[in-house]
Amino acid sequence: MADPLHHSGLNVALYGAPRRWAMTERGRQSVRRSAATLQLGPSALEWDGEVLTIRIEEVTAPIPSRLRGVVRVRPAGINLRRFLLDAAGRHRWQPIAAVGRAEVEFEKPGLAWSGAAYFDTNDGDAPLERDFVEWDWCRAPLREGAAILYNAERRDGTRQSLALRVDAGAQVREMAVPSPALLPRTRWGIRRPTGVDAGHQPRVVQVLEDAPFYARSVVETHLCDERATAVHESLMLDRFAALPIQMMLPFKIPRRWV
């Protein structure tokens, strides 16, 4: 089994002007961990019990430029509930702070803003492509809290659909799965299924990432009897595992040993 610490990195994506992407994979010798800190090469994350501070010192790809800045995430609360994504329990997901605020200050490029924040974690004991065909995820901030939809098509032919209502303190509870809806496919043919309140139709208002195996979009939708602007993601794992895609990844995700 591969050592996950030997394949570590911090992914930073800025959308708008300027648009930037960085995700450098680093070896175990570049990783330092403690109960409250995670060092990934020159970048680091630190949790003080109230604020997660992310110090970013990265180089963009495929065209190199500096990314330097600080992001502070202030969660409204911590959710301890974890969800199993497969029948064997090899894959787990936890929306740790589904409601929060972020304060962003970049030196390179010169940017600063604040707004809603979301923080979750996935972990597993097997590669995603071994146990899943595809999945989609959607999070919509609401007047109080948020709604999260998580759907997975498993390799064994079964499906899982999670629908969560998050309160203002970031605690989650399951709710009825909303009516299925299909957003238009991306230019790469990625399916974008989602859920919506009965009688409504979501629509894509902005495409943030459009890759051969993955899509991230801003969607206008209607959930929990509210109109909302959501972030939607789709992942096709057969595409991800295909040899041509694996050969292209190093151009977007370069590797450095130090």
Side-chain angles (χ1 to χ4, degrees), residues 232-251:
H232 180 278
E233 297 178 328
S234 291
L235 175 65
M236 298 182 68
L237 287 151
D238 286 342
R239 293 253 191 108
F240 170 76
L243 181 59
I245 299 299
Q246 292 296 308
M247 292 177 67
M248 288 190 293
L249 284 178
F251 293 96

Side-chain angles (χ1 to χ4, degrees), residues 25 30 60 74-75 96 102 113 154 161 199 203 243:
E25 187 177 85
S30 297
T60 62
R74 301 179 186 275
I96 295 174
W113 74 91
R154 300 163 174 162
S161 293
R203 71 181 186 93
L243 181 59

